[in-house]
Amino acid sequence: MKKEEKTCAVCKKKTLKVSSCKSCGREYCGKCQSSSTPQHFCKECISMEGIVTKA
């Protein structure tokens, strides 16, 4: 049985595992995860100011 591939909404590449962005709700792959936070945000949302508060 072949595992179902999903498409990353950010880079449009096929992948086996996606996460859902807490800001925009899109499903993204590991390469599109923001490296600046361990939280579930895609790199496009993090690049916009004010998405993640710096507490």
Side-chain angles (χ1 to χ4, degrees):
M1 178 182 249
K2 186 178 178 183
K3 290 185 179 181
E4 185 178 333
E5 290 186 331
K6 298 184 180 196
T7 303
C8 174
V10 178
C11 70
K12 308 295 187 225
K13 293 183 180 177
K14 297 280 187 183
T15 183
L16 293 176
K17 184 180 177 191
V18 292
S19 297
S20 183
C21 179
K22 289 169 68 175
S23 178
C24 67
R26 294 185 297 172
E27 292 185 331
Y28 61 89
C29 68
K31 291 183 180 182
C32 292
Q33 161 75 34
S34 173
S35 59
S36 64
T37 179
Q39 298 179 40
H40 291 281
F41 290 103
C42 69
K43 63 184 181 181
E44 289 184 354
C45 284
I46 290 295
S47 69
M48 294 185 286
E49 288 185 49
I51 297 295
V52 177
T53 59
K54 296 177 181 175

